[in-house]
Amino acid sequence: MRAARLIKMVLLLQARPSMTAAELAAELEVSERTITRDAQALSEAGVPVYADRGRAGGYRLIGGYRTRLTGLGRSEAEALFLSGVPGALREMGLEDAASAARLKVSAALTPSLRDASQNASQRFHLDAPGWFRETSAPGLLPPLADAVWDDRRVTARYRRQDAEVERELEPYGLVLKAGVWYLCARVPDTGSFRVYRIDRFTAVDPGEERFARDEEFDLPGFWEERAAQFARALLRSEVVVRLSAAGARRLPHATDPVAAREALAGAGEPDDRDRVTVTLAVESEDVAYTQLLSLGPEAEVLSPAPLRARCAEAAHEMSARYR
């Protein structure tokens, strides 16, 4: 533990011209007295750590000293490629590995490039969850992430509707979609790949057995295909709607964008009032009722009849209230 801290202290001083004892203590999560002892230990080991006295003083390396202890470990290198997603790193338990990797890269850079990390972090930031949503990391995400990195089979219990099922899985990859974590895994018994919401796992037991990955498996391509299938499977009903020009423009924002674009592409010629009639795929009549009401007078439901009646009743009630 202390050896790792001493190495990190050297890397910090190598990456910056000077650091105060308080700054080092905050970075290394120790007391200033521990920093003093660590600096003395490094000096005794031949590392030229020099302490400047006074209010503007601090610790620095002298003589252009550079350590060769900058080699990245596997977990650090893997985490470095995810360092633009700090929330995801933290939820998977990789925050420390990413911090160490960034520090080693900074220490290896020339002085003129050492502000590159700061410049990038102040110009680009990814905030994955959607607006107005409370998100929290699933408790079983870290062990699943470890199993994904190690290609290790797991025995998992999973909530499915009103029952729990137990399955042996080969975890291939993790996906963070709109603040929700998913596991893409292969079921050994069938060889099929499936997608599981991680917050529905109730138990995960990583075993000792490793599995051989299918080298042709493409996680981004697999996810894109399954996501499209999932979205299409939700759209089980159809409604016929007459739209004004404004309603046609707003339809992709009120309903499923892909379904809206397909509906508009299949529309006939506009009528004499510049309205088009479309057949729109929707999840259900209840969902369509809420979505299409948001278009107000720019949309008129033509069928099915029960949905048209509901919309007419809503329009009548609104008219009465605003009369």
Side-chain angles (χ1 to χ4, degrees):
M1 181 70 177
R2 190 189 186 199
R5 188 176 70 244
L6 292 174
I7 292 171
K8 189 171 183 180
M9 182 174 176
V10 173
L11 292 173
L12 285 167
L13 294 174
Q14 185 172 309
R16 307 179 193 179
S18 176
M19 293 185 71
T20 65
E23 290 171 338
L24 286 167
E27 287 278 358
L28 300 175
E29 298 180 347
V30 295
S31 67
E32 293 186 33
R33 181 172 297 180
T34 298
I35 294 298
T36 302
R37 289 197 297 266
D38 285 352
Q40 182 178 352
L42 287 171
S43 181
E44 291 174 354
V47 178
V49 178
Y50 181 78
D52 291 316
R53 305 293 180 183
R55 292 182 60 186
Y59 292 94
R60 60 187 175 89
L61 294 174
I62 60 176
Y65 179 85
R66 297 186 67 79
T67 177
R68 296 183 180 274
L69 296 173
T70 53
L72 293 178
R74 172 171 290 276
S75 64
E76 294 167 346
E78 291 167 337
L80 186 60
F81 286 102
L82 295 172
S83 59
V85 197
L89 282 168
R90 184 170 54 253
E91 293 176 1
M92 287 190 292
L94 294 172
E95 188 174 26
D96 290 343
S99 175
R102 287 193 295 268
L103 183 57
K104 289 181 178 182
V105 170
S106 294
L109 294 173
T110 60
S112 63
L113 296 177
R114 284 180 188 159
D115 63 347
S117 175
Q118 175 74 5
N119 285 345
S121 66
Q122 292 304 317
R123 286 164 173 79
F124 300 99
H125 177 69
L126 175 63
D127 185 8
W131 288 103
F132 312 116
R133 291 189 58 181
E134 292 287 339
T135 60
S136 59
L140 295 175
L141 176 60
L144 281 171
D146 288 342
V148 168
W149 289 121
D150 291 342
D151 296 335
R152 196 181 299 276
R153 286 188 177 183
V154 300
T155 301
R157 293 190 63 81
Y158 183 83
R159 291 194 308 274
R160 189 174 65 181
Q161 296 178 348
D162 296 330
E164 280 193 5
V165 296
E166 183 173 292
R167 286 224 171 91
E168 186 175 358
L169 300 174
E170 295 176 350
Y172 265 64
L174 298 169
V175 175
L176 177 60
K177 169 71 170 178
V180 179
W181 283 96
Y182 297 87
L183 174 71
C184 300
R186 181 168 63 182
V187 181
D189 294 341
T190 63
S192 61
F193 287 92
R194 300 182 183 178
V195 176
Y196 301 88
R197 273 187 64 141
I198 293 180
D199 58 7
R200 293 180 182 168
F201 283 102
T202 58
V204 172
D205 181 18
E208 296 298 322
E209 182 182 0
R210 285 184 166 84
F211 62 90
R213 290 181 67 92
D214 180 352
E215 297 301 328
E216 296 184 358
F217 178 78
D218 173 31
L219 179 60
F222 171 78
W223 175 259
E224 183 178 4
E225 179 184 348
R226 288 302 173 90
Q229 290 176 359
F230 175 74
R232 181 60 62 192
L234 289 177
L235 306 178
R236 296 185 291 267
S237 302
E238 287 186 346
V239 298
V240 179
V241 187
R242 183 182 290 132
L243 300 165
S244 67
R249 288 194 300 270
R250 289 165 49 189
L251 186 66
H253 304 287
T255 65
D256 178 79
V258 175
R261 286 194 293 269
E262 291 180 354
L264 292 169
E269 293 296 320
D271 63 16
D272 56 357
R273 296 177 59 187
D274 202 26
R275 299 177 304 176
V276 295
T277 299
V278 301
T279 300
L280 176 69
V282 295
E283 185 174 344
S284 67
E285 289 188 19
D286 285 340
V287 172
Y289 172 75
T290 302
Q291 293 173 336
L292 295 174
L293 275 186
S294 69
L295 297 178
E298 310 302 333
E300 177 189 357
V301 175
L302 302 180
S303 69
L307 178 59
R308 179 179 173 86
R310 288 181 66 185
C311 291
E313 182 180 356
H316 177 74
E317 289 183 6
M318 291 186 66
S319 175
R321 290 179 184 178
Y322 283 96
R323 187 174 300 158

